[in-house]
Amino acid sequence: MAIAIRKPDEIAKLKRAGEIVGKTLQYLQNTIKPGMSLKEIDALGEAYIREHGAVPSFKGLYGFTGSVCTSVNEVCIHGVPTDRVVEEGDILGLDIGTKLDGYFGDAAITMAVGKISAEDEALIECSKGALYHAIDSIREGMRFKELSKILEDYIVSAGYVPLRDYCGHGIGTKAHDEPNIPNYLEGKTNQGPKIKNGMVFCLEPMVCQKSGTPVVLEDKWSVISEDQLRSAHYEHTVAVVDGKAIILTEAQAS
């Protein structure tokens, strides 16, 4: 399947959808406190998205029941909102998608609930740092496999490992589209498609401590590492414009 090249007006629509994601993540990060349940957090996120004119694109996607992926501690991605209450010292992954005027936005953060350990701060910083380092490295003409290697090298050099079998992805008029972008190199860097102006995609480093082998829990959604240790996840949607990447999912000052 060919990777879509988006026109400027399409990128503008993707940015509007993306900005709502960024604002929702910012709102939740400022609102979440110890003692709140994941279902309560999910409801707040859904209401905020709808108040800003979009719909939560994850709700019902592939059968997912929530609007926000809420991943606590050892859960790296796809955590299902439940009655579980977040506590002081937890780390919480929030992954949010929106749909606005037929175009999608998608981003994620891992946040501290109250005060967390220095070890957890470093884990989160690795995921966030890998994301921004990769975005800064994007240039028209490089291959997506080069980008995967950049992500992997950053994660490994910090003493961690990327989660296997899950990846970043294209986005546009579908929530998930071509290409798949692993956080580790498969094959060689001189293989596969090249990055071109107008491409829009999500990068999402998923960082584990000792093992990158994924385990899906009984809820059929939540993904942890087989090491059962805490993990972190960050994501942005980016567009390639004038040879480099611009972030579409940042919260813009209103």
Side-chain angles (χ1 to χ4, degrees):
M1 183 185 292
I3 301 168
I5 304 296
R6 302 293 174 187
K7 297 175 181 177
D9 65 316
E10 290 184 287
I11 292 174
K13 290 177 180 178
L14 287 160
K15 190 170 192 290
R16 286 195 286 275
E19 286 176 355
I20 295 171
V21 176
K23 286 182 177 181
T24 307
L25 287 169
Q26 186 179 72
Y27 161 70
L28 290 177
Q29 191 166 23
N30 292 334
T31 303
I32 292 169
K33 301 289 188 295
M36 296 177 70
S37 75
L38 300 182
K39 281 186 176 178
E40 184 180 357
I41 292 165
D42 179 68
L44 288 171
E46 177 174 353
Y48 191 93
I49 290 166
R50 293 188 186 279
E51 285 166 8
H52 286 76
V55 297
S57 60
F58 291 171
K59 191 162 192 176
L61 185 67
Y62 314 127
F64 190 75
T65 55
S67 297
V68 180
C69 292
T70 51
S71 303
V72 184
N73 295 337
E74 71 279 359
V75 178
C76 189
I77 53 172
H78 302 164
V80 178
T82 65
D83 292 324
R84 177 174 179 171
V85 170
V86 293
E87 300 175 352
E88 181 88 16
D90 283 342
I91 61 174
L92 173 64
L94 302 169
D95 190 355
I96 292 176
T98 60
K99 184 179 182 182
L100 179 67
D101 297 331
Y103 289 83
F104 288 83
D106 189 357
I109 60 171
T110 300
M111 61 167 283
V113 180
K115 184 173 177 57
I116 61 172
S117 68
E119 290 80 8
D120 287 340
E121 287 179 355
L123 176 67
I124 292 172
E125 188 54 42
C126 175
S127 181
K128 183 178 182 179
L131 175 61
Y132 284 95
H133 174 66
I135 291 170
D136 288 344
S137 301
I138 291 170
R139 297 292 181 268
E140 183 189 15
M142 72 186 292
R143 296 182 190 270
F144 282 99
K145 286 187 181 295
E146 294 177 73
L147 196 52
S148 292
K149 187 174 190 307
I150 287 167
L151 286 160
E152 181 177 30
D153 286 350
Y154 188 100
I155 294 166
V156 172
S157 68
Y160 303 98
V161 292
L163 183 71
R164 312 292 293 190
D165 301 342
Y166 295 87
C167 57
H169 53 87
I171 189 170
T173 55
K174 299 178 183 177
H176 298 103
D177 210 338
E178 295 293 324
N180 289 331
I181 311 167
N183 297 303
Y184 51 89
L185 179 63
E186 294 180 307
K188 298 179 180 179
T189 55
N190 62 354
Q191 298 174 328
K194 292 183 178 180
I195 294 172
K196 297 178 181 178
N197 279 322
M199 288 183 175
V200 180
F201 48 89
C202 299
L203 297 182
E204 44 182 319
M206 307 159 194
V207 178
C208 305
Q209 295 195 46
K210 293 183 178 179
S211 172
T213 301
V215 176
V216 180
L217 299 184
E218 289 183 4
D219 63 16
K220 303 291 195 269
W221 283 101
S222 303
V223 181
I224 68 170
S225 162
E226 68 173 359
D227 62 27
Q228 300 184 33
L229 299 173
R230 293 187 175 195
S231 52
H233 173 217
Y234 256 82
E235 177 182 15
H236 269 309
T237 302
V238 301
V240 184
V241 178
D242 296 331
K244 58 186 180 180
I246 60 169
I247 298 173
L248 303 184
T249 39
E250 286 183 323
Q252 301 297 313
S254 54

